[in-house]
Amino acid sequence: MTQAYAATDFADRGQLNSVQLNVVTLVDMERAAATKSLDGCLYMMDNSVGGVGQGTDHLETVCKQGQVINWIIRPIDMHRRPDGTWPPMPKINNLVFLDVEKGDEEDVAERRMMTELKVYGAPDRMRDQYTAVYYYWAGAVMSEARPGLYRYRLVLELEKEHGTDKLYLNSVRHPALRVLPV
């Protein structure tokens, strides 16, 4: 049985009025490339009130209808190496919302959940010791989204250590948005 939440359930309700939420994902790039899987390689955190699963790959972010959410992604290792090179970067290629109503969490949802705002990111050549470089995917929760739990799959594009090939991986466990009514 899923627990229903209302804005009044949270002691710090004012934060639910925040215009934007951030979901930060750290990726263990070395492990993901070696295993060709994201299992045990993602660590997610957010600034939502009442969310659960902080630091795991199955984070549940509490948000409201119409709210903007920024999914920020970074590798765990962000420092320049002794040889002057930078470690590979991860990029969110897509967020795929799943149709849990059908009972199969692998089916893509038929109903649109987000309005994609824009993909942002800085190219590798802009990295320096003073500027944080990361990619992110931003979207707004549809204002007519029904309150409830919406699981999604992250589709990541990982740079490989050597060469120009990319590795595309899907999250194994499914994080979720818990949409509250406005």
Side-chain angles (χ1 to χ4, degrees), residues 25-29 40-43 74-79 87-88 90:
T25 302
L26 298 177
V27 181
D28 183 338
M29 296 285 288
C41 299
L42 301 180
Y43 307 92
R74 296 179 59 156
I76 289 175
D77 180 12
M78 285 293 296
H79 301 325

Side-chain angles (χ1 to χ4, degrees), residues 14-16 24 40 43 57 62 67 78 97 138 153-154 167:
Q15 196 163 350
L16 284 173
V24 178
Y43 307 92
D57 58 357
V62 176
Q67 192 159 31
M78 285 293 296
F97 282 87
R153 181 173 59 233
L154 286 168
L167 181 61

Side-chain angles (χ1 to χ4, degrees), residues 84-157:
T85 62
W86 294 98
M89 289 287 289
K91 180 179 178 182
I92 298 172
N93 191 275
N94 201 1
L95 264 78
V96 178
F97 282 87
L98 306 170
D99 193 350
V100 294
E101 291 177 0
K102 290 183 179 178
D104 183 2
E105 288 195 6
E106 296 307 314
D107 282 346
V108 176
E110 295 173 14
R111 190 174 306 137
R112 203 164 128 205
M113 267 303 296
M114 304 286 295
T115 298
E116 184 176 355
L117 299 177
K118 191 171 181 180
V119 175
Y120 295 87
D124 236 10
R125 65 182 172 274
M126 294 178 72
R127 286 193 196 180
D128 68 34
Q129 64 186 8
Y130 304 110
T131 306
V133 176
Y134 53 83
Y135 287 99
Y136 74 88
W137 191 99
V141 177
M142 300 296 286
S143 59
E144 64 273 3
R146 289 189 305 219
L149 186 69
Y150 296 90
R151 298 212 177 277
Y152 62 90
R153 181 173 59 233
L154 286 168
V155 181
L156 302 185
E157 176 183 303

